Amino acid sequence: MSKQGYVSLKKSQRSKQNEIPVKDHVSLVERMKPVNFTSYMGQKHVIGPNTVLRNFLEIGEIPSMILWGPPGCGKKSLVNIIIQLTKEKFQDKTHIVKLVATTCGVGEVKTAVKTAENLLKFGHRTIVFMDNIHRFNKLQQDIFLPHIEAGTFILIGATIENPSYSLNSALLSRCRIFSLSKLSTKDIIEILKKSIHCMDGRIHNLQNSDNVSKFIIHRDTLEWLAEICDGNAQVALSGLEFAIRAKNLSYDKTPTIGLEDIKQGLIHIYMQVDNKNEQTHHLYSALHKSICAGKPNASLYWLARIMAAKEDPVDIARRLIRISSEDIGLADPDALGLAVHTLSACQMIGMPESDVMLGQCVIYLTKAPKSRLIYNALKAAQKVINETKEPQPDV
């Protein structure tokens, strides 16, 4: 072999050694997306055996639907499974269009409609997945109606907002609503275990002392992460991935991921998430809990965070109306009236002028006496209706 050929061979070998695997460029959240029901965690009431959606998917019938649930509960993962099953069953006769309501408008939907109409002539069907569908206002949502009725395409929408007020009634009447719950701590732990195995790590175990793993994480740290992420698998996986990547910058042969590493990873992730305005669900939850606990300073803080996230003041006022009835109720009937007047005021003048009105309402609700008597009684009545197998009394 010539000297020039030997040098080029050495260069190629060196470049292969320094080449980063393609999968390292893909986020852990993306790598852990399930492709079948076996690898999907949680939501047994939606996709478990003999459920409505599971039966539809097994026979190849996909209805237009809205998936409603908190962040990180598996809405996109479920859509991914639906798409995979559809491709396996119908192969190249299904066209998938993925849209995000925050970055697209009616024009993109019209383009998808034209494509779907053309493909329909050749016996192909189209599935349009619209993420954050609640970000489309109710007039924009009307564009879906005639095409769902005509069977031009199948609509799958995902939302963290209650469809009853974020989507118009005409669209709701044409779609099935599937409510997803936040994942349990046990589900999150199982997801994290799979992700650790995917990244060639291992959970610390005194009985297992091999040094082959790329990193080690303590079981207590894993359980803490599963509990602190509050059912959000995306936050758990992103926090774990950031901690691992940051730790691998050290010169340790087999680095150990500790609690402080995970905390730093979560701080980084939550800062990113807040900037992207994707954690309003948790902000509203924090506001609700602060009001129920009677903590005025905390309530104002979380209200300010929600307003900083550019939430619609009318949506904030709607939440306050719910809180006034659910957690205060008959203990102070005036609370509901104040919340309703706050909503009207927000509709009249909008932001930023309505910020003081929202603050006034929040402080009133925080300091008001609390009673969940009506809420608990109504839940008990609903439970009786749902669990009674005999015919209900006639009117």
Side-chain angles (χ1 to χ4, degrees):
M1 181 184 292
S2 65
K3 185 177 180 181
Q4 183 178 1
Y6 177 75
V7 172
S8 62
L9 177 61
K10 292 287 287 182
K11 285 184 178 180
S12 64
Q13 289 175 343
R14 193 181 303 117
S15 63
K16 286 183 179 180
Q17 290 174 353
N18 295 332
E19 184 179 0
I20 300 174
V22 175
K23 71 175 185 178
D24 286 349
H25 294 287
V26 182
S27 69
L28 184 59
V29 173
E30 193 67 25
R31 275 185 276 168
M32 294 307 297
K33 275 189 177 180
V35 294
N36 53 49
F37 290 121
T38 304
S39 56
Y40 187 80
M41 301 301 299
Q43 316 304 340
K44 299 302 181 186
H45 65 290
V46 175
I47 51 91
N50 298 321
T51 55
V52 173
L53 182 57
R54 183 70 171 265
N55 292 337
F56 268 124
L57 296 178
E58 286 178 350
I59 62 176
E61 291 292 333
I62 303 176
S64 290
M65 68 184 84
I66 303 295
L67 302 178
W68 169 36
C73 69
K75 297 184 292 294
K76 292 180 185 177
S77 296
L78 182 53
V79 172
N80 189 53
I81 292 174
I82 293 173
I83 291 173
Q84 292 295 330
L85 292 176
T86 305
K87 287 181 177 180
E88 290 174 5
K89 195 170 187 66
F90 300 99
Q91 297 178 359
D92 58 346
K93 291 190 175 182
T94 301
H95 178 61
I96 309 297
V97 178
K98 294 183 179 181
L99 300 173
V100 181
T102 54
T103 58
C104 76
V106 173
E108 285 82 351
V109 178
K110 289 181 178 179
T111 301
V113 169
K114 291 181 180 179
T115 303
E117 288 174 339
N118 292 331
L119 292 173
L120 193 61
K121 297 175 183 177
F122 301 96
H124 294 199
R125 61 179 181 176
T126 302
I127 297 175
V128 175
F129 170 54
M130 176 65 77
D131 194 16
N132 294 324
I133 192 170
H134 61 278
R135 292 292 186 180
F136 262 26
N137 63 44
K138 294 188 176 182
L139 291 177
Q140 289 175 310
Q141 293 168 20
D142 285 339
I143 191 172
F144 297 114
L145 301 179
H147 308 295
I148 295 175
E149 286 185 341
T152 306
F153 59 72
I154 298 165
L155 174 67
I156 302 178
T159 177
I160 62 172
E161 299 288 346
N162 189 337
S164 299
Y165 72 81
S166 62
L167 305 181
N168 69 43
S169 56
L171 182 60
L172 290 177
S173 66
R174 290 162 176 79
C175 299
R176 287 181 173 269
I177 311 298
F178 294 101
S179 178
L180 279 65
S181 307
K182 73 176 184 178
L183 297 174
S184 66
T185 302
K186 183 180 178 181
D187 292 332
I188 298 292
I189 289 176
E190 290 301 317
I191 293 172
L192 290 174
K193 284 180 179 179
K194 291 181 180 179
S195 65
I196 291 170
H197 177 73
C198 175
M199 299 184 76
D200 298 324
R202 68 177 173 89
I203 302 171
H204 179 67
N205 189 340
L206 295 177
Q207 297 177 353
N208 185 2
S209 59
D210 65 88
N211 295 320
V212 179
S213 305
K214 289 184 178 179
F215 64 91
I216 300 171
I217 184 169
H218 290 278
R219 186 176 297 275
D220 292 343
T221 303
L222 190 70
E223 292 174 352
W224 182 88
L225 174 59
E227 290 177 2
I228 203 66
C229 70
D230 193 27
N232 191 328
Q234 185 170 358
V235 169
L237 290 172
S238 299
L240 176 65
E241 182 180 26
F242 181 84
I244 293 171
R245 290 187 180 277
K247 196 71 173 181
N248 281 344
L249 296 176
S250 67
Y251 295 99
D252 296 335
K253 191 173 183 181
T254 305
T256 299
I257 309 299
L259 187 58
E260 287 303 317
D261 301 313
I262 294 295
K263 287 181 178 179
Q264 289 300 318
L266 287 178
I267 290 172
H268 174 80
I269 295 304
Y270 270 109
M271 286 176 63
Q272 284 188 330
V273 167
D274 283 344
N275 290 335
K276 293 179 181 178
N277 198 19
E278 294 178 352
Q279 282 296 314
T280 53
H281 175 85
H282 294 297
L283 295 177
Y284 278 115
S285 177
L287 173 63
H288 192 162
K289 291 176 182 176
S290 299
I291 291 174
C292 293
K295 304 290 186 181
N297 290 336
S299 299
L300 282 179
Y301 170 78
W302 292 116
L303 173 64
R305 284 281 300 274
I306 292 171
M307 291 190 293
K310 308 299 181 184
E311 279 293 289
D312 189 339
V314 175
D315 288 340
I316 302 173
R318 284 196 185 103
R319 300 295 182 107
L320 298 179
I321 291 175
R322 172 68 185 189
I323 294 171
S324 67
S325 292
E326 179 180 330
D327 296 287
I328 297 172
L330 296 179
D332 185 355
D334 292 336
L336 177 59
L338 178 62
V340 172
H341 285 310
T342 301
L343 174 64
S344 300
C346 290
Q347 289 174 329
M348 283 190 287
I349 66 173
M351 288 293 279
E353 289 81 3
S354 60
D355 57 352
V356 177
M357 300 164 192
L358 290 170
Q360 178 182 343
C361 184
V362 164
I363 293 299
Y364 185 93
L365 298 182
T366 303
K367 293 190 173 184
K370 308 297 189 294
S371 171
R372 292 173 65 90
L373 178 65
I374 300 299
Y375 177 80
N376 293 336
L378 183 59
K379 286 294 182 182
Q382 293 171 343
K383 183 178 179 181
V384 170
I385 294 172
N386 294 332
E387 294 181 357
T388 301
K389 297 181 180 179
E390 293 79 11
Q392 299 293 332
D394 295 330
V395 179

